[in-house]
Amino acid sequence: MENKTDNKEKTSFGKKIVDNLTGIFLPVINLITAASIMKSILILLVTFGVMTPENGIYRIFYAVSDGFFYFLPFFLAATASRQWKTDMFISMMIPVAMLYPDLMNLLENGQTFPFLGINVPQAIYHSSVIPVLLAVGLLKLVELPCDRFLPEVIKGFVKPIICMCIVLTFTFLLFGPLGTWIGSGLTKLFFLLYDWNSIVAGAFMGLLIQPMVVIGAHWAIVPIALNNIATQGFDVIMPLLGAAVYGQAGAAFAVALKCRISTEKGKFDRQIAIQSGFTACLGVTEPALYSVNLPRVWPLFWGCIAGAVGGALAGFAGNHCISFAFPSVLTCVAFAGPGFLLFMLSMLLGLISGFVLTYLFYREKA
């Protein structure tokens, strides 16, 4: 009897996590998908010389498609506020501070400044997910005593002050830098592995890069890759990430086949899974991560395993990235050179492995 009760409690807790993630991302998932497709089409048009980045059409529509991801914390603050029943306007003040140009330019360029006697750590706040969700979650806890104990006559203006003093302190000193700390640590571990064995390093990065995307830790890799290209003329990290992208795509496509289309929800879930799998094939995994694989957990896991398998092949290939690009079929020209064929095969292997593993071992719940 105790085991059954424990299992129910665990299931209930896991279901709460899934329901919360779904409630936060579902209201914006169509926007995520639309922005992803628009961005991919623009990249495709530039790749084939139909237009240039200086073209006015490109500038405006790239601004809205890329800008959506850049300002994603604002959207998540709103949806998390609705999900957790916090004051939406106070919740929106959090990304206002996170993305304020003066602060953001300092912290994202490696500079710092003192706050309460502590130097604020470097962090990447644009396009981030975890910092704003942790901050709104903390806001929920801070609002409870404010609503209970503050007199009504002063609550309207005192409550936001108290909330911001507490929440922003934790955000800038802990929540924001968290992804950077994790990303930097994993990157250092990667180079140790790469010097020892490139195949193991490829599997390591293929396994972890998409969870790093979820918490925003992947931004720690970008300046390192850019510096490698500037100083050495090539980078070895980016080619190892392609299989992980397609592993998530394959997992999303497998979920689409598993969806129960006998219900309206099942039909909607299948549509979202197919759309997000397609955008992942174009190099943008956020729709697949946030709307399909992460809420279901196991598709994310099997997609990561597929990324490790394909990443090991890419590590064996020893392919180099000669100009900075996140790997996909649209940007494959940046990876031309030794090991290019195996690099392309690694992405195909990630796609097939992600699909097969998810289809075999994942079961869609009713």
Side-chain angles (χ1 to χ4, degrees), residues 127-139:
S127 308
S128 62
V129 172
I130 296 300
V132 71
L133 295 185
L134 291 175
V136 176
L138 176 61
L139 175 63

Side-chain angles (χ1 to χ4, degrees), residues 28 47 84 112 131 138 159 187 220 233 257 270 319 326 328 341:
V28 295
T47 301
W84 294 330
T112 186
L138 176 61
K159 176 182 169 182
T187 303
L257 291 184
R270 171 171 286 189
N319 183 237
F326 288 104
S328 74
L341 180 59

Side-chain angles (χ1 to χ4, degrees), residues 92-348:
M92 297 290 284
M93 291 294 289
I94 298 168
V96 164
M98 291 167 56
L99 298 179
Y100 186 69
D102 179 59
L103 296 183
M104 191 176 64
N105 290 338
L106 281 174
L107 297 176
E108 294 194 1
N109 289 322
Q111 302 178 51
T112 186
F113 56 89
F115 175 63
L116 299 177
I118 304 172
N119 280 338
V120 176
Q122 178 186 1
I124 303 294
Y125 288 105
H126 73 268
S127 308
S128 62
V129 172
I130 296 300
V132 71
L133 295 185
L134 291 175
V136 176
L138 176 61
L139 175 63
K140 174 67 175 180
L141 299 178
V142 177
E143 278 192 325
L144 292 175
C146 288
D147 289 334
R148 182 174 180 181
F149 297 112
L150 286 177
E152 289 295 329
V153 69
I154 63 171
K155 183 189 296 186
F157 62 89
V158 173
K159 176 182 169 182
I161 295 174
I162 294 175
C163 288
M164 286 302 98
C165 286
I166 296 174
V167 173
L168 290 182
T169 297
F170 278 89
T171 300
F172 281 96
L173 295 183
L174 179 60
F175 300 155
L178 190 62
T180 301
W181 293 334
I182 294 173
S184 298
L186 292 176
T187 303
K188 290 177 181 177
L189 180 57
F190 160 76
F191 280 110
L192 289 175
L193 290 174
Y194 196 87
D195 291 338
W196 173 62
N197 189 302
S198 63
I199 298 175
V200 175
F204 174 80
M205 288 306 295
L207 177 69
L208 295 179
I209 187 59
Q210 291 304 311
M212 288 172 69
V213 170
V214 171
I215 64 173
H218 67 300
W219 291 111
I221 295 174
V222 174
I224 296 171
L226 288 170
N227 183 67
N228 289 342
I229 294 170
T231 57
Q232 302 174 163
F234 64 88
D235 172 66
V236 298
I237 304 178
M238 302 309 291
L240 307 178
L241 312 184
V245 172
Y246 286 87
Q248 297 303 319
F253 286 135
V255 170
L257 291 184
K258 292 280 189 173
C259 287
R260 302 172 186 271
I261 59 172
S262 56
T263 65
E264 287 300 318
K265 182 181 182 301
K267 291 177 182 178
F268 178 76
D269 287 346
R270 171 171 286 189
Q271 178 186 355
I272 292 298
I274 292 173
Q275 290 175 349
S276 62
F278 172 72
T279 55
C281 286
L282 298 178
V284 183
T285 56
E286 282 84 354
L289 285 174
Y290 299 141
S291 64
V292 180
N293 298 344
L294 177 60
R296 291 169 171 82
V297 180
W298 283 108
L300 173 65
F301 173 78
W302 292 119
C304 290
I305 296 298
V309 174
L313 177 60
F316 172 77
N319 183 237
H320 293 167
C321 178
I322 56 177
S323 62
F324 181 81
F326 288 104
S328 74
V329 293
L330 300 181
T331 60
C332 60
V333 66
F335 301 87
F340 176 71
L341 180 59
L342 286 181
F343 163 72
M344 297 297 290
L345 287 175
S346 74
M347 294 196 293
L348 179 61

